[in-house]
Structures are given as C-alpha cells and as structure tokens.
Short mmCIF file of all heavy atoms in Angstrom, two decimals:
data_model
loop_
_atom_site.label_atom_id
_atom_site.label_comp_id
_atom_site.label_asym_id
_atom_site.label_seq_id
_atom_site.Cartn_x
_atom_site.Cartn_y
_atom_site.Cartn_z
N ARG A 19 15.71 -9.85 -16.59
CA ARG A 19 15.89 -9.40 -15.27
C ARG A 19 14.59 -9.04 -14.44
O ARG A 19 14.58 -8.40 -13.52
CB ARG A 19 16.86 -8.09 -15.24
CG ARG A 19 18.20 -8.30 -16.03
CD ARG A 19 19.04 -9.01 -14.94
NE ARG A 19 20.42 -9.02 -15.54
CZ ARG A 19 20.92 -10.03 -16.22
NH1 ARG A 19 20.25 -11.11 -16.31
NH2 ARG A 19 22.32 -9.95 -16.63
N SER A 20 13.49 -9.43 -15.10
CA SER A 20 12.21 -9.20 -14.47
C SER A 20 12.17 -9.84 -13.08
O SER A 20 12.65 -11.00 -12.89
CB SER A 20 10.95 -9.72 -15.33
OG SER A 20 10.86 -8.94 -16.45
N CYS A 21 11.46 -9.18 -12.31
CA CYS A 21 11.28 -9.74 -10.86
C CYS A 21 10.54 -11.03 -10.74
O CYS A 21 9.37 -11.07 -11.31
CB CYS A 21 10.65 -8.69 -9.95
SG CYS A 21 10.40 -9.19 -8.30
N LEU A 22 11.09 -12.04 -10.21
CA LEU A 22 10.39 -13.36 -10.23
C LEU A 22 9.32 -13.36 -9.18
O LEU A 22 8.30 -14.07 -9.26
CB LEU A 22 11.42 -14.40 -9.74
CG LEU A 22 12.45 -14.73 -10.79
CD1 LEU A 22 13.42 -15.76 -10.14
CD2 LEU A 22 11.90 -15.20 -12.07
N GLY A 23 9.40 -12.30 -8.20
CA GLY A 23 8.31 -12.25 -7.21
C GLY A 23 7.12 -11.24 -7.49
O GLY A 23 6.40 -10.91 -6.62
N LYS A 24 7.02 -10.80 -8.68
CA LYS A 24 6.02 -9.81 -9.10
C LYS A 24 4.67 -10.32 -8.70
O LYS A 24 3.93 -9.55 -8.05
CB LYS A 24 6.09 -9.51 -10.65
CG LYS A 24 5.04 -8.57 -10.99
CD LYS A 24 5.12 -8.30 -12.55
CE LYS A 24 4.00 -7.39 -13.03
NZ LYS A 24 4.21 -7.12 -14.41
N ASN A 25 4.22 -11.49 -9.02
CA ASN A 25 2.92 -11.94 -8.81
C ASN A 25 2.69 -12.13 -7.31
O ASN A 25 1.57 -11.67 -6.85
CB ASN A 25 2.67 -13.25 -9.54
CG ASN A 25 2.51 -13.06 -11.09
OD1 ASN A 25 2.30 -11.87 -11.55
ND2 ASN A 25 2.86 -14.04 -11.78
N ILE A 26 3.61 -12.71 -6.58
CA ILE A 26 3.36 -12.86 -5.13
C ILE A 26 3.33 -11.40 -4.51
O ILE A 26 2.64 -11.33 -3.45
CB ILE A 26 4.43 -13.72 -4.54
CG1 ILE A 26 4.02 -14.19 -3.13
CG2 ILE A 26 5.66 -13.19 -4.37
CD1 ILE A 26 2.86 -15.15 -3.07
N SER A 27 4.17 -10.54 -5.01
CA SER A 27 4.04 -9.15 -4.42
C SER A 27 2.69 -8.49 -4.50
O SER A 27 2.20 -7.87 -3.67
CB SER A 27 5.09 -8.20 -5.18
OG SER A 27 6.44 -8.63 -4.97
N PHE A 28 2.00 -8.68 -5.70
CA PHE A 28 0.72 -8.10 -5.83
C PHE A 28 -0.34 -8.90 -5.04
O PHE A 28 -1.16 -8.29 -4.45
CB PHE A 28 0.31 -8.40 -7.38
CG PHE A 28 0.67 -7.27 -8.26
CD1 PHE A 28 1.65 -7.32 -9.10
CD2 PHE A 28 -0.01 -6.04 -8.19
CE1 PHE A 28 2.06 -6.24 -9.95
CE2 PHE A 28 0.34 -4.81 -8.90
CZ PHE A 28 1.46 -4.96 -9.87
N ILE A 29 -0.14 -10.17 -4.77
CA ILE A 29 -1.00 -10.88 -3.78
C ILE A 29 -0.83 -10.25 -2.41
O ILE A 29 -1.69 -10.05 -1.70
CB ILE A 29 -0.71 -12.40 -3.75
CG1 ILE A 29 -1.12 -13.06 -5.16
CG2 ILE A 29 -1.33 -13.07 -2.66
CD1 ILE A 29 -0.64 -14.50 -5.46
N GLN A 30 0.47 -10.10 -1.93
CA GLN A 30 0.64 -9.58 -0.69
C GLN A 30 0.11 -8.17 -0.52
O GLN A 30 -0.42 -7.89 0.48
CB GLN A 30 2.20 -9.58 -0.46
CG GLN A 30 2.61 -10.99 -0.12
CD GLN A 30 4.28 -10.95 -0.01
OE1 GLN A 30 4.99 -10.18 -0.48
NE2 GLN A 30 4.89 -12.06 0.74
N MET A 31 0.35 -7.30 -1.48
CA MET A 31 -0.16 -5.95 -1.49
C MET A 31 -1.69 -5.92 -1.46
O MET A 31 -2.21 -5.19 -0.70
CB MET A 31 0.23 -5.12 -2.71
CG MET A 31 1.74 -4.84 -2.67
SD MET A 31 2.29 -3.56 -4.05
CE MET A 31 2.08 -4.81 -5.45
N LYS A 32 -2.29 -6.79 -2.13
CA LYS A 32 -3.84 -6.86 -2.12
C LYS A 32 -4.22 -7.36 -0.66
O LYS A 32 -5.30 -6.84 -0.12
CB LYS A 32 -4.35 -7.83 -3.16
CG LYS A 32 -4.29 -7.22 -4.48
CD LYS A 32 -4.66 -8.18 -5.65
CE LYS A 32 -4.34 -7.61 -7.00
NZ LYS A 32 -4.78 -8.49 -8.14
N MET A 33 -3.54 -8.33 -0.17
CA MET A 33 -3.96 -8.83 1.17
C MET A 33 -3.82 -7.82 2.24
O MET A 33 -4.75 -7.50 3.05
CB MET A 33 -3.18 -10.10 1.46
CG MET A 33 -3.44 -11.35 0.75
SD MET A 33 -2.30 -12.74 0.89
CE MET A 33 -2.45 -13.02 2.69
N VAL A 34 -2.79 -6.96 2.14
CA VAL A 34 -2.59 -6.00 3.09
C VAL A 34 -3.65 -4.84 2.91
O VAL A 34 -4.27 -4.39 3.98
CB VAL A 34 -1.10 -5.28 2.97
CG1 VAL A 34 -0.99 -4.00 3.89
CG2 VAL A 34 -0.05 -6.29 3.53
N ALA A 35 -3.96 -4.48 1.74
CA ALA A 35 -4.93 -3.36 1.43
C ALA A 35 -6.39 -3.93 1.96
O ALA A 35 -7.06 -3.15 2.63
CB ALA A 35 -5.02 -3.10 -0.10
N ILE A 36 -6.60 -5.22 1.71
CA ILE A 36 -7.92 -5.84 2.21
C ILE A 36 -7.95 -5.69 3.71
O ILE A 36 -8.92 -5.31 4.21
CB ILE A 36 -8.13 -7.17 1.68
CG1 ILE A 36 -8.31 -7.21 0.15
CG2 ILE A 36 -9.31 -7.80 2.42
CD1 ILE A 36 -8.22 -8.61 -0.49
N ALA A 37 -6.86 -6.11 4.46
CA ALA A 37 -6.92 -6.14 5.81
C ALA A 37 -7.00 -4.74 6.37
O ALA A 37 -7.82 -4.55 7.40
CB ALA A 37 -5.58 -6.82 6.33
N LEU A 38 -6.40 -3.76 5.80
CA LEU A 38 -6.44 -2.48 6.41
C LEU A 38 -7.73 -1.74 5.96
O LEU A 38 -8.49 -1.18 6.87
CB LEU A 38 -5.25 -1.50 5.76
CG LEU A 38 -3.96 -1.95 6.34
CD1 LEU A 38 -2.76 -1.09 5.58
CD2 LEU A 38 -3.75 -1.68 7.86
N LEU A 39 -8.17 -1.96 4.70
CA LEU A 39 -9.43 -1.17 4.32
C LEU A 39 -10.78 -1.77 4.89
O LEU A 39 -11.85 -1.07 5.07
CB LEU A 39 -9.46 -1.13 2.73
CG LEU A 39 -8.38 -0.23 2.22
CD1 LEU A 39 -8.40 -0.31 0.64
CD2 LEU A 39 -8.44 1.14 2.66
N ARG A 40 -10.69 -3.11 5.23
CA ARG A 40 -11.90 -3.74 5.76
C ARG A 40 -12.06 -3.24 7.22
O ARG A 40 -13.17 -3.23 7.78
CB ARG A 40 -11.77 -5.29 5.76
CG ARG A 40 -12.08 -5.87 4.51
CD ARG A 40 -11.78 -7.39 4.69
NE ARG A 40 -12.62 -8.00 5.66
CZ ARG A 40 -13.55 -8.86 5.56
NH1 ARG A 40 -13.85 -9.32 4.31
NH2 ARG A 40 -14.17 -9.41 6.53
N ASN A 41 -10.95 -2.94 7.93
CA ASN A 41 -10.96 -2.71 9.26
C ASN A 41 -10.79 -1.31 9.80
O ASN A 41 -11.15 -0.89 10.93
CB ASN A 41 -9.86 -3.46 10.10
CG ASN A 41 -10.28 -4.98 9.90
OD1 ASN A 41 -11.20 -5.43 10.22
ND2 ASN A 41 -9.31 -5.69 9.30
N PHE A 42 -10.43 -0.32 8.83
CA PHE A 42 -10.14 1.01 9.25
C PHE A 42 -10.59 1.98 8.23
O PHE A 42 -10.71 1.61 7.04
CB PHE A 42 -8.65 1.24 9.53
CG PHE A 42 -8.07 0.38 10.48
CD1 PHE A 42 -7.29 -0.79 10.14
CD2 PHE A 42 -8.18 0.66 11.87
CE1 PHE A 42 -6.82 -1.70 11.09
CE2 PHE A 42 -7.67 -0.24 12.72
CZ PHE A 42 -6.99 -1.31 12.46
N GLN A 43 -10.85 3.32 8.66
CA GLN A 43 -11.25 4.33 7.56
C GLN A 43 -9.98 5.26 7.88
O GLN A 43 -9.75 5.65 8.98
CB GLN A 43 -12.45 5.06 7.90
CG GLN A 43 -13.58 4.19 7.62
CD GLN A 43 -14.92 4.84 8.01
OE1 GLN A 43 -14.93 5.97 8.53
NE2 GLN A 43 -16.02 4.31 7.52
N PHE A 44 -9.29 5.72 6.82
CA PHE A 44 -8.34 6.46 6.79
C PHE A 44 -8.57 8.00 6.23
O PHE A 44 -9.29 8.02 5.24
CB PHE A 44 -6.99 6.02 6.01
CG PHE A 44 -6.52 4.74 6.44
CD1 PHE A 44 -6.95 3.52 6.02
CD2 PHE A 44 -5.47 4.72 7.45
CE1 PHE A 44 -6.50 2.29 6.52
CE2 PHE A 44 -5.07 3.44 8.07
CZ PHE A 44 -5.64 2.28 7.47
N GLU A 45 -7.97 9.06 6.92
CA GLU A 45 -8.16 10.37 6.45
C GLU A 45 -6.87 11.00 6.59
O GLU A 45 -6.36 11.01 7.73
CB GLU A 45 -9.26 11.03 7.18
CG GLU A 45 -9.63 12.46 6.67
CD GLU A 45 -10.72 13.02 7.51
OE1 GLU A 45 -11.49 12.44 7.97
OE2 GLU A 45 -10.56 14.35 7.55
N VAL A 46 -6.22 11.55 5.55
CA VAL A 46 -4.96 12.34 5.71
C VAL A 46 -5.19 13.51 6.55
O VAL A 46 -6.17 14.29 6.41
CB VAL A 46 -4.38 12.64 4.33
CG1 VAL A 46 -3.09 13.43 4.44
CG2 VAL A 46 -4.13 11.43 3.49
N VAL A 47 -4.33 13.80 7.47
CA VAL A 47 -4.39 14.86 8.45
C VAL A 47 -4.48 16.25 7.59
O VAL A 47 -3.59 16.37 6.65
CB VAL A 47 -3.26 14.92 9.48
CG1 VAL A 47 -3.24 16.12 10.24
CG2 VAL A 47 -3.24 13.68 10.33
N GLU A 48 -5.34 17.12 7.91
CA GLU A 48 -5.44 18.35 7.15
C GLU A 48 -4.10 19.05 7.23
O GLU A 48 -3.55 19.25 8.21
CB GLU A 48 -6.67 19.17 7.83
CG GLU A 48 -6.97 20.36 6.98
CD GLU A 48 -8.18 21.10 7.41
OE1 GLU A 48 -9.05 20.47 7.98
OE2 GLU A 48 -8.21 22.27 7.21
N GLY A 49 -3.70 19.62 6.06
CA GLY A 49 -2.45 20.34 5.94
C GLY A 49 -1.22 19.50 5.75
O GLY A 49 -0.15 20.11 5.50
N HIS A 50 -1.33 18.14 5.91
CA HIS A 50 -0.10 17.37 5.77
C HIS A 50 0.23 17.28 4.34
O HIS A 50 -0.63 16.96 3.49
CB HIS A 50 -0.47 16.02 6.30
CG HIS A 50 0.66 14.99 6.14
ND1 HIS A 50 1.85 15.20 6.66
CD2 HIS A 50 0.89 13.83 5.36
CE1 HIS A 50 2.85 14.23 6.32
NE2 HIS A 50 2.09 13.40 5.51
N ASN A 51 1.44 17.60 3.98
CA ASN A 51 1.97 17.51 2.57
C ASN A 51 2.78 16.25 2.42
O ASN A 51 3.72 16.03 3.11
CB ASN A 51 2.79 18.67 2.25
CG ASN A 51 3.19 18.83 0.85
OD1 ASN A 51 2.62 18.16 0.01
ND2 ASN A 51 4.32 19.51 0.55
N VAL A 52 2.35 15.32 1.48
CA VAL A 52 3.10 14.15 1.12
C VAL A 52 4.06 14.41 0.00
O VAL A 52 3.65 14.87 -1.01
CB VAL A 52 2.00 12.98 0.77
CG1 VAL A 52 2.80 11.76 0.38
CG2 VAL A 52 1.09 12.65 1.89
N SER A 53 5.16 14.30 0.32
CA SER A 53 6.33 14.50 -0.76
C SER A 53 7.35 13.39 -0.62
O SER A 53 7.64 12.92 0.53
CB SER A 53 6.91 15.94 -0.58
OG SER A 53 7.41 15.96 0.63
N PRO A 54 7.86 13.06 -1.80
CA PRO A 54 8.80 11.91 -1.84
C PRO A 54 10.27 12.35 -1.22
O PRO A 54 10.53 13.52 -1.39
CB PRO A 54 8.87 11.52 -3.26
CG PRO A 54 8.50 12.62 -3.97
CD PRO A 54 7.62 13.37 -3.11
N CYS A 55 10.86 11.46 -0.75
CA CYS A 55 12.32 11.62 -0.29
C CYS A 55 13.16 10.70 -1.11
O CYS A 55 13.03 9.40 -0.95
CB CYS A 55 12.43 11.38 1.22
SG CYS A 55 14.11 11.59 1.76
N ILE A 56 13.77 11.27 -2.04
CA ILE A 56 14.51 10.31 -3.06
C ILE A 56 15.73 9.84 -2.36
O ILE A 56 16.58 10.42 -1.77
CB ILE A 56 14.87 11.06 -4.36
CG1 ILE A 56 13.71 11.78 -4.94
CG2 ILE A 56 15.69 10.22 -5.40
CD1 ILE A 56 12.85 10.92 -5.70
N SER A 57 15.94 8.47 -2.34
CA SER A 57 17.04 7.81 -1.82
C SER A 57 17.14 6.44 -2.53
O SER A 57 16.54 6.23 -3.60
CB SER A 57 17.01 7.67 -0.24
OG SER A 57 15.81 6.75 0.04
#
C-alpha cells in the first residue's frame, strides 16, 4: 500500500522549498505558538 507518488512528492517539496528559500527570508512572528490541529 506504499504511496506510488512518494518520489515525485519529494521532488515537488524540494522545488517549493528552493523557490521560497531562494527568494524570501522567513521569521516566525514573536510570541506565535505553532500547534497542530488534529483532524
């Protein structure tokens, strides 16, 4: 039942990361708490 799209998913995630990190600098807003919402 392994995902057939695993490899292409990694390619896409890397492409998005490259596009964002090459063009922007990110800083989490001070005091912002990141917490998961389980659904």
Side-chain angles (χ1 to χ4, degrees):
R19 302 282 187 261
S20 289
C21 177
L22 296 175
K24 177 181 176 179
N25 292 335
I26 194 73
S27 296
F28 273 106
I29 290 170
Q30 290 176 331
M31 289 186 287
K32 288 175 184 178
M33 289 172 60
V34 169
I36 293 166
L38 292 173
L39 295 173
R40 278 179 58 118
N41 295 302
F42 302 99
Q43 291 180 351
F44 297 92
E45 184 179 328
V46 177
V47 172
E48 190 174 331
H50 176 61
N51 183 23
V52 178
S53 57
C55 182
I56 307 282
S57 66

